[in-house]
Amino acid sequence: MIIKDKSDISENEVTEKSLYLSRRDFIKKTTLTAAALSAGFVFVPNAHGGFDIVKKTDTTGGEKITKEIAAKSYNNFYEFTTSKGDVKDLAADFPTDPWEIEVTGLVKKPLKFSVDEVKRFAGTQERIYRLRCVEGWSMVIPWNGFSLSELVKKCEPLSSAKYIQFVTKLDKEHMPGARSNVLEWPYMEGLRMDEAMNPLAMLVFGMYGGELPNQNGAPVRVIVPWKYGFKSIKSIVRIVFTDKQPSTSWNIAAPDEYGFYANVNPQVDHPRWSQARERRIGSFGKIDTKPFNGYADQVAHLYKGMDLSRFF
Ligand SMILES: Nc1nc2c(c(=O)[nH]1)N[C@H]1C(S)=C(S)[C@@H](COP(=O)(O)O)O[C@H]1N2
Ligand SMILES: [Mo]
């Protein structure tokens, strides 16, 4: 599923992109595929109709990847609708090109980047992450992009910047859900600077080795795998560096239910339901939810000394 038809890969595309493999290896295409795979690489189609060989990291220890069709047709994207099965169709005509990301606030100088510029900040990787929604379902998804820290570094934040706010595009013409008051628009999220700099936090342009579909947040979104899904903001147009904890749409909508931190925490229930277990989309029954969604080793230190029932 991840490896597309290998006969489509021309020699040029690979030698040009170069890298990890010698020309002789390339000639033996099958050998190449096997070698690349065992070395932890995958082929991801690029914008020029070819493929890039990208580093692949499975952070789940081999959990079953959610069927692509499920990840692309069961979505939360309230700007379109609150009905998960209908986002895909309603987002089909959402215009995502051209697209600019504006950087403001506590930065050396305010900036604007096109998505294509941002894509060149670092090499694409594929990372398989768990995504757990606060509602109690979860998926395992291969995302394509790179660490959010690569973007932060390019923005040159001042040392006084302690938080980052992310803002989604508000396009009422193409976003029927945004004509209602179900949330505070534009959709806003935020991270503390050290959270944003943690290498697990990802800036995403694609999934399953292909483009990021509109319903999943095209052309660019954030994925923060140790936090409930709502922190993973879609279709970003603005990044604001601040010295105070920024507003977030869910926190404004229901402060008792959706905290700023939103770390996946089986010990802290949502006021209306337990967070101890989750339903993995595509499997029967429920499984135990892990602290920090299974990423405690990499992120628990960020919250040392904080009372996580208060900073939920
Ligand atoms: N702009 C925006 N981003 C958003 C949302 C939204 O409604 N609007 N929903 C969030 C929620 S609640 C979840 S669970 C994830 C779902 O991402 P997915 O559809 O790619 O699985 O997106 C998050 N990002
Ligand atoms: Mo969610």
Side-chain angles (χ1 to χ4, degrees):
M1 178 171 52
I2 288 163
I3 309 222
K4 311 289 158 157
D5 185 358
K6 41 187 191 306
S7 62
D8 286 343
I9 310 167
S10 83
E11 181 164 4
N12 268 347
E13 281 150 6
V14 173
T15 45
E16 189 192 38
K17 279 275 147 195
S18 75
L19 326 164
Y20 317 99
L21 302 149
S22 76
R23 193 184 151 84
R24 216 182 51 215
D25 279 340
F26 177 77
I27 292 158
K28 301 179 209 149
K29 278 185 186 159
T30 10
T31 323
L32 169 112
T33 308
L37 264 185
S38 61
F41 296 97
V42 287
F43 299 106
V44 170
N46 62 32
H48 320 291
F51 290 82
D52 291 337
I53 298 174
V54 305
K55 188 169 169 249
K56 173 182 173 172
T57 312
D58 181 356
T59 69
T60 71
E63 287 179 25
K64 198 168 150 233
I65 293 177
T66 301
K67 282 211 173 77
E68 187 171 343
I69 182 79
K72 294 181 174 179
S73 54
Y74 186 81
N75 304 102
N76 268 342
F77 201 161
Y78 276 31
E79 287 88 330
F80 293 97
T81 172
T82 56
S83 152
K84 286 183 254 303
D86 297 327
V87 178
K88 180 171 179 276
D89 289 343
L90 287 169
D93 298 324
F94 177 55
T96 60
D97 182 26
W99 191 278
E100 277 198 325
I101 298 176
E102 186 195 357
V103 181
T104 65
L106 301 172
V107 283
K108 231 176 184 171
K109 52 179 192 299
L111 293 164
K112 269 189 183 165
F113 299 118
S114 72
V115 176
D116 288 336
E117 278 177 290
V118 175
K119 280 184 182 169
R120 289 194 291 269
F121 287 170
T124 300
Q125 299 171 22
E126 173 162 294
R127 300 198 200 147
I128 301 171
Y129 279 163
R130 300 179 196 90
L131 175 95
R132 190 200 187 280
C133 182
V134 72
E135 292 169 275
W137 49 267
S138 62
M139 300 196 199
V140 175
I141 296 177
W143 300 106
N144 300 120
F146 47 73
S147 287
L148 178 61
S149 62
E150 306 281 356
L151 171 73
V152 175
K153 282 184 246 160
K154 297 282 179 188
C155 295
E156 300 192 61
L158 301 176
S159 59
S160 51
K162 301 284 182 257
Y163 295 88
I164 312 179
Q165 184 183 50
F166 301 90
V167 183
T168 294
K169 183 160 196 169
L170 179 58
D171 173 354
K172 290 194 180 178
E173 187 190 335
H174 296 98
M175 293 171 149
R179 292 174 216 146
S180 83
N181 293 329
V182 59
L183 279 180
E184 180 87 9
W185 312 117
Y187 192 99
M188 294 169 281
E189 260 308 336
L191 293 172
R192 212 172 55 195
M193 194 64 85
D194 58 345
E195 298 179 313
M197 295 307 281
N198 185 280
L200 275 181
M202 200 176 177
L203 194 71
V204 164
F205 306 98
M207 65 195 295
Y208 294 88
E211 300 262 294
L212 192 62
N214 292 348
Q215 64 271 24
N216 296 93
V220 55
R221 74 178 296 182
V222 166
I223 292 289
V224 197
W226 69 94
K227 293 176 182 272
Y228 292 116
F230 65 90
K231 294 294 278 189
S232 289
I233 182 171
K234 298 176 170 182
S235 306
I236 297 165
V237 286
R238 197 151 38 127
I239 295 175
V240 190
F241 290 88
T242 64
D243 53 0
K244 289 183 198 66
Q245 185 178 300
S247 308
T248 74
S249 288
W250 285 99
N251 189 233
I252 293 169
D256 306 341
E257 302 189 9
Y258 309 105
F260 175 81
Y261 284 95
N263 290 316
V264 175
N265 192 340
Q267 271 110 52
V268 176
D269 289 340
H270 182 280
R272 290 182 280 137
W273 59 78
S274 163
Q275 291 293 17
R277 291 167 75 71
E278 68 198 55
R279 182 169 62 89
R280 184 60 56 85
I281 300 293
S283 313
F284 294 105
K286 288 196 171 184
I287 53 175
D288 287 344
T289 288
K290 297 191 188 109
F292 298 106
N293 210 18
Y295 299 102
D297 285 356
Q298 290 110 299
V299 300
H301 69 274
L302 296 170
Y303 310 101
K304 230 177 119 194
M306 289 173 71
D307 174 358
L308 296 183
S309 59
R310 200 158 90 77
F311 298 100
F312 63 92

